[in-house]
Amino acid sequence: LPDNLHKGLDAFFVDLKVARKEAFGRMVKGLQSPEYEGFVARWKDFVTNRFCELAGARGEEPCREAATALIRKRLVKVLQAGAAINDESQDCELHRLRIQCKKLRYLLEFYRSLFSDTAMVSCIGQLKKLQDNLGTFNDLSVQQRMLEHYRNELGPGGKKNLHIAAALGGLITHLQSDQLTVRKKFAKTYGSFSSEEHIALFTDMLDAPLKQLEKGETV
């Protein structure tokens, strides 16, 4: 920002530091509360004693088959959400795609030992590029909303608030410019992910015979 806006920017970061300290205090208090201790106890009991009981017949399903079905289903959702995005799409639509990508990434990482290492590295690598683009876009969107909310909450009058409002206006302008640049890169990034070549790689990986362990044992 220009030098004449630095005074407002410095004041904003002082306020932000105070707010973060207060938020940290609330978090610590929450983690030390009886309610949180009770939640952790219930969660441990569920994982230790009840999780396998609730699995039922689904617990007998071969892991590879379940993993393949889950990954296919999530991949379709990613492609449907991505194909629906155009130049008029709102930020929230890209955010929903980001969430779908995150869920697909979780599945790939969790079950990666069941599939070809080479194919999995390529699939995750291309997905990560798309996630990076969407993540940066979402961060810039969230930052703008936060700054706009903070600016709107400023009290009327006073040199300090005027300086802060001017500085935040400048920051928001820069963030909007950065977000537009990232948005323009989305089409190319998503195009690479959804290309026939890349989807074929996904399909081949999921349809390939069960991966063999190094010792020749079936997973």
Side-chain angles (χ1 to χ4, degrees), residues 101-102 105 127-136:
C101 288
K102 184 179 291 189
R105 176 76 175 275
L127 176 59
K128 185 177 183 300
K129 292 178 181 179
L130 179 57
Q131 284 185 284
D132 288 344
N133 176 268
L134 293 169
T136 301

Side-chain angles (χ1 to χ4, degrees), residues 95-111:
H95 175 64
R96 284 195 289 269
L97 174 59
R98 185 180 72 90
I99 297 302
Q100 293 292 350
C101 288
K102 184 179 291 189
K103 292 179 179 180
L104 176 60
R105 176 76 175 275
Y106 288 155
L107 288 172
L108 294 176
E109 296 285 6
F110 189 80
Y111 292 114

Side-chain angles (χ1 to χ4, degrees), residues 85-91 94 133 137 178-187:
I85 292 177
N86 54 46
D87 292 340
E88 305 302 320
S89 297
Q90 300 297 311
D91 290 5
L94 281 88
N133 176 268
F137 182 87
D178 290 343
Q179 188 181 28
L180 180 60
T181 300
V182 174
R183 180 68 175 83
K184 289 179 178 179
K185 294 179 181 178
F186 168 76

Side-chain angles (χ1 to χ4, degrees), residues 10-52:
D10 292 340
F12 166 68
F13 278 110
V14 169
D15 288 352
L16 191 62
K17 184 176 181 180
V18 172
R20 290 183 63 179
K21 185 176 181 180
E22 293 175 351
F24 181 76
R26 291 195 299 271
M27 182 190 71
V28 171
K29 185 177 180 180
L31 293 176
Q32 294 174 340
S33 68
E35 290 80 8
Y36 181 73
E37 291 181 1
F39 165 75
V40 173
R42 292 192 300 274
W43 175 245
K44 287 182 178 179
D45 176 66
F46 172 76
V47 173
T48 305
N49 302 316
R50 302 183 58 229
F51 183 73
C52 291

Side-chain angles (χ1 to χ4, degrees), residues 113-167:
S113 64
L114 300 177
F115 300 94
S116 163
D117 291 335
T118 301
M120 185 61 75
V121 168
S122 297
C123 289
I124 291 178
Q126 197 66 52
L127 176 59
K128 185 177 183 300
K129 292 178 181 179
L130 179 57
Q131 284 185 284
D132 288 344
N133 176 268
L134 293 169
T136 301
F137 182 87
N138 184 68
D139 288 346
L140 291 167
S141 179
V142 170
Q143 289 165 13
Q144 288 176 73
R145 290 200 302 272
M146 185 272 286
L147 293 177
E148 288 171 353
H149 175 75
Y150 185 94
R151 186 174 60 176
N152 292 337
E153 292 295 313
L154 289 172
K159 287 186 177 181
K160 176 185 175 182
N161 286 351
L162 290 175
H163 287 312
I164 292 178

